[in-house]
Amino acid sequence: MFVDSVFKNILFDLGGLFITVYSERFEQWLMRTYINGAVNDFSRRSIDGVHQQYEQGALSTAQFLSEIRSLLNDRVGTQDIEKAWNSILGSFSVDDLLWASALRRSFRTALLSNTNELHRISFEETLRLQTEGNDLTDYFGGVYYSQFLGLRKPSKDVFLRVLELEGWRAGETLFVDDNQQNLQSAADLGMGVVLHPCNAPLRLHLEARTDLPFHHFSSLS
């Protein structure tokens, strides 16, 4: 059971919380595209490895697209790969973003996302279109991307880095994510953690939890 007064800082994930994500769309595209009609274990691990390198900033976008194209035996062009890759992303919940922004009256907040250049450019444009020009820094005190940190969840190092950059203590920080592995790493460091169902309404889910501080702030926004 959490104690409301403990938490001074709220660290949020991005995908599945504030923007809908549909990772199965890329998987389905792979299954349709792969030369044998199915992605075997080796090729899946290889694609996952390229993905992780890209999210950590170890590969440029051109290198990422080239690597994926090579793994697919050059059956598709880079534009097709880019389109399929960005199809993962849906739309933002602007209401949840406004709610998160209002939380800054009572908490220090930040966002930590495993992301990459293609997705970042895509969701930044989506947000500008949905909000007439805003970006995520308008809603959170800090915004951190794995691409720029050179680290990605679930590595404990990425949490330690964000805590250091923000000047936060782990025990005073609540982390909200839709991935259990990420939450476990944060919990191992002494952070409070909350598992959020992917793509579920964020504010409604968090305010319904009476063990969390959010139910006291339902009138914030």
Side-chain angles (χ1 to χ4, degrees), residues 71-212:
L71 288 168
L72 295 174
N73 298 307
D74 296 325
R75 285 176 56 86
V76 293
T78 55
Q79 288 185 334
D80 291 327
I81 297 169
E82 181 175 343
K83 181 179 179 180
W85 187 246
N86 284 339
S87 72
I88 292 171
L89 300 172
S91 59
F92 280 93
S93 169
V94 177
D95 286 343
D96 283 332
L97 286 172
L98 291 170
W99 174 77
S101 179
L103 288 175
R104 290 183 293 177
R105 301 174 196 169
S106 301
F107 303 97
R108 293 173 292 187
T109 68
L111 191 76
L112 172 61
S113 176
N114 284 350
T115 195
N116 53 81
E117 185 177 49
L118 282 173
H119 280 172
R120 179 179 55 80
I121 291 172
S122 179
F123 68 64
E124 286 178 349
E125 177 61 18
T126 296
L127 183 59
R128 284 193 292 269
L129 290 172
Q130 286 190 244
T131 61
E132 299 183 353
N134 287 358
D135 59 42
L136 288 170
T137 58
D138 292 311
Y139 303 99
F140 302 93
V143 175
Y144 299 97
Y145 299 138
S146 60
Q147 172 194 4
F148 299 133
L149 293 172
L151 300 162
R152 70 187 297 276
K153 298 174 288 184
S155 168
K156 292 184 178 69
D157 289 339
V158 74
F159 294 106
L160 291 172
R161 182 62 175 147
V162 170
L163 291 172
E164 177 187 20
L165 290 169
E166 287 291 328
W168 293 355
R169 294 182 179 181
E172 297 175 345
T173 303
L174 185 67
F175 175 51
V176 186
D177 199 296
D178 62 348
N179 182 293
Q180 186 60 56
Q181 281 187 301
N182 298 340
L183 294 170
Q184 186 60 56
S185 293
D188 288 345
L189 295 173
M191 297 168 65
V193 297
V194 177
L195 179 64
H196 176 70
C198 182
N199 295 343
L202 181 66
R203 176 180 180 172
L204 291 177
H205 176 243
L206 295 182
E207 287 187 352
R209 291 273 302 267
T210 57
D211 60 327
L212 297 176

